[in-house]
C-alpha cells in the first residue's frame, strides 16, 4: 500500500477512550465529505503500549455504528511498529531515519498495512479538551467549511 499523506481536513489526536468515542461519534453524526484521520497521541506507544492503545480504539469503535480506522503513531521507535503489526494495527506512522523508514514501510506493506505521514494538515489535539465531542464537532465543521477554500 505504501506511504501516503494524510488528506485534508487533517487529524484528530486522541489521548483517552473518551477522546476516541467523541471523535467516532462526531464523525458518524456529521458524516463529513472527507474523513479526518483519528490517531493516537505522539509518544503514547512508549507510555501506554501498543496493546492498550489497540484496546482503547476497539472499545470506542464498538460503540460507533461506523467503522473508522485509527492511525498508531509509533514515533521514531521501530520496535513499536513490530508490536503494532503483531497486535493488528494496519495504519501506522513511523518517523525514524529514512533508510530504516523504507525498510519498515516495506515490512508494513507486506503485512497488508500502510504507512501514514502525520502532521501534514490541520491537527486537533484533544489533550486539554474538557468537551471533546463539542470540540470535535466544531473543528470538523470548520474544516468542512474550508474545503476548496484557503482558510
Amino acid at each position: 500500500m505504501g506511504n501516503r499523506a494524510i488528506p485534508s481536513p487533517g487529524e484528530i489526536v486522541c489521548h483517552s477512550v473518551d477522546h476516541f468515542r467523541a471523535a467516532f461519534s462526531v464523525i458518524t453524526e456529521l458524516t463529513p465529505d472527507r474523513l479526518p484521520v483519528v490517531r493516537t497521541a505522539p509518544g503514547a506507544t512508549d507510555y501506554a503500549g501498543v496493546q492498550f492503545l489497540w484496546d482503547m480504539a476497539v472499545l470506542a469503535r464498538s460503540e460507533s455504528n461506523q467503522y473508522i480506522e485509527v492511525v498508531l503513531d509509533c514515533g521514531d521507535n521501530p520496535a513499536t511498529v513490530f508490536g503494532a503489526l503483531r497486535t493488528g494495527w494496519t495504519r501506522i506512522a513511523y518517523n525514524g531515519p529514512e533508510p530504516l523508514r523504507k525498510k519498515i514501510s516495506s515490512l508494513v506493506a507486506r503485512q497488508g498495512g500502510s504507512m501514514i505521514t502525520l502532521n501534514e494538515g490541520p491537527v486537533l489535539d484533544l489533550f486539554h479538551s474538557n468537551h471533546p465531542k463539542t470540540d470535535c464537532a466544531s473543528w470538523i465543521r470548520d474544516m468542512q467549511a474550508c474545503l476548496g477554500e484557503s482558510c
Side-chain angles (χ1 to χ4, degrees), residues 39-40 45 50 53 70-74 80 84 89 91-94:
R39 61 177 271 211
T40 63
T45 56
V50 172
L53 295 168
V70 177
V71 174
L72 180 69
D73 184 349
C74 291
T80 59
W89 290 96
R91 293 171 46 98
I92 297 170
Y94 171 75

Side-chain angles (χ1 to χ4, degrees), residues 5-145:
I6 298 297
S8 179
E11 309 161 27
I12 300 173
V13 179
C14 298
H15 298 262
S16 70
V17 72
D18 290 336
H19 291 166
F20 284 111
R21 285 179 177 135
F24 295 161
S25 173
V26 169
I27 291 169
T28 299
E29 289 171 17
L30 296 180
T31 59
D33 294 335
R34 296 179 73 187
L35 297 179
V37 169
V38 178
R39 61 177 271 211
T40 63
T45 56
D46 293 336
Y47 62 81
V50 172
Q51 184 67 53
F52 180 74
L53 295 168
W54 174 263
D55 292 343
M56 273 199 319
V58 168
L59 175 63
R61 190 181 290 132
S62 72
E63 298 168 4
S64 174
N65 61 1
Q66 178 179 355
Y67 182 82
I68 298 165
E69 290 188 278
V70 177
V71 174
L72 180 69
D73 184 349
C74 291
D76 62 358
N77 185 346
T80 59
V81 174
F82 300 116
L85 292 171
R86 284 191 304 273
T87 303
W89 290 96
T90 58
R91 293 171 46 98
I92 297 170
Y94 171 75
N95 63 3
E98 183 61 32
L100 191 51
R101 199 167 47 242
K102 286 181 182 179
K103 290 179 182 180
I104 286 177
S105 179
S106 176
L107 172 68
V108 170
R110 283 194 311 266
Q111 297 292 319
S114 58
M115 293 287 289
I116 307 296
T117 303
L118 296 176
N119 302 312
E120 300 235 333
V123 176
L124 171 65
D125 191 332
L126 294 173
F127 183 71
H128 292 291
S129 176
N130 292 322
H131 306 284
K133 189 171 179 180
T134 302
D135 293 343
C136 282
S138 176
W139 186 80
I140 287 174
R141 285 186 186 107
D142 289 348
M143 293 301 105
Q144 287 298 109

